[in-house]
Amino acid sequence: QGAYRCGPDDADDWVAVVEEPVHHTTPRDWLLEVAAALAVAVVLTGLGVAMAYLWAEISPRTVLEMTANGAVYTEPNPEGYVAGESVYLLMTAGLGVVAPIVVWMAVRRRRGPILLTGLAVGSVAGATLMAWLGHRIGLTEYRELLTGAPVGTRFEIPVKVYSAVIDVAGFRIQGAVLVQAMIAVAIYTFLAGFYPTPSLRPERAVVHFMPPELPPELPPDQPAGTDDKVNSGWQGTSDHRAAPAPPAAG
């Protein structure tokens, strides 16, 4: 009793009920999200070291030549300053595009504002370290040649980001070193804005199939096929044979 059986013809009548997924964040989840954010920040900071050496290797340089009156430019209008900084901006901007996409796809179970913070902090730290370290690659040798190189010696000026302020002790980091972080945050926020689930996690909705509404049960003494004839309590009847006979004529 109470069981519902459906045949092949009834299977298409079942109703699909969709339940939205509910995400519950536990203290363990918070710790894992913080750990993921720290890992992203550390990786991006470490990439700043590798990119500093790459920048110093491939960037155009301004060349000086030592004369009897001191070092002079070998070109009347040297473009090494602008070219070197342009390469830095292109490299950091490219990493600012790639990093949020990789983080979004690789750390999909820990998406959210905490991971976004790690992405922003790591981008600022990595770009700042890249600018600071890249300028110091070959700086000692450059200073020695600038003061004691023989006449006729040519040497290069180390790369430098001139449109940035890096003062770690005074907590001042401004200018071009923030480009990577701004691009990374913008792309990560864009991806989050168009994701279908509020938790930003790859969750699936739960679908239940419910049987269609059952017809009302018939009374035990009522034969089948007469369920549409229910007595309303009115004593009259629609059968003309049961109507009273008309009064006799007087």
Side-chain angles (χ1 to χ4, degrees), residues 43-221:
V43 170
L44 290 176
T45 303
L47 284 177
V49 176
M51 292 186 66
Y53 284 94
L54 179 61
W55 175 42
E57 182 67 25
I58 68 175
S59 177
R61 304 284 191 90
T62 300
V63 181
L64 300 178
E65 183 177 354
M66 182 62 69
T67 65
N69 298 323
V72 297
Y73 294 111
T74 58
E75 299 177 356
N77 297 310
E79 299 178 354
Y81 296 111
V82 177
E85 189 160 350
S86 299
V87 172
Y88 171 85
L89 290 174
L90 289 175
M91 293 178 65
T92 53
L95 185 58
V97 173
V98 174
I101 298 177
V102 173
V103 171
W104 179 268
M105 298 300 297
V107 201
R108 61 181 63 188
R109 293 292 180 183
R110 305 301 167 193
R111 294 171 182 167
I114 298 179
L115 192 62
L116 177 60
T117 302
L119 178 65
V121 172
S123 297
V124 173
T128 302
L129 184 59
M130 175 182 173
W132 179 85
L133 181 60
H135 175 61
R136 279 156 179 77
I137 296 176
L139 182 60
T140 302
E141 181 182 1
Y142 164 74
R143 289 174 176 174
E144 293 175 355
L145 292 173
L146 189 61
T147 57
V151 176
T153 303
R154 291 192 173 188
F155 52 95
E156 298 175 338
I157 299 177
V159 292
K160 183 179 180 181
V161 181
Y162 295 91
S163 59
V165 177
I166 302 176
D167 185 7
V168 180
F171 297 99
R172 289 185 60 196
I173 298 177
Q174 301 173 351
V177 293
L178 301 178
V179 171
Q180 178 181 336
M182 291 188 295
I183 296 176
V185 170
I187 293 180
Y188 194 90
T189 306
F190 176 83
L191 295 174
F194 286 90
Y195 202 72
T197 61
S199 64
L200 306 181
R201 317 294 167 82
E203 300 174 350
R204 296 182 179 179
V206 180
V207 180
H208 298 284
F209 287 92
M210 305 295 293
E213 185 177 357
L214 300 179
E217 297 183 359
L218 299 178
D221 56 348

Side-chain angles (χ1 to χ4, degrees), residues 216-224 226-227 230:
E217 297 183 359
L218 299 178
D221 56 348
Q222 183 177 355
T226 60
D227 54 325
V230 181

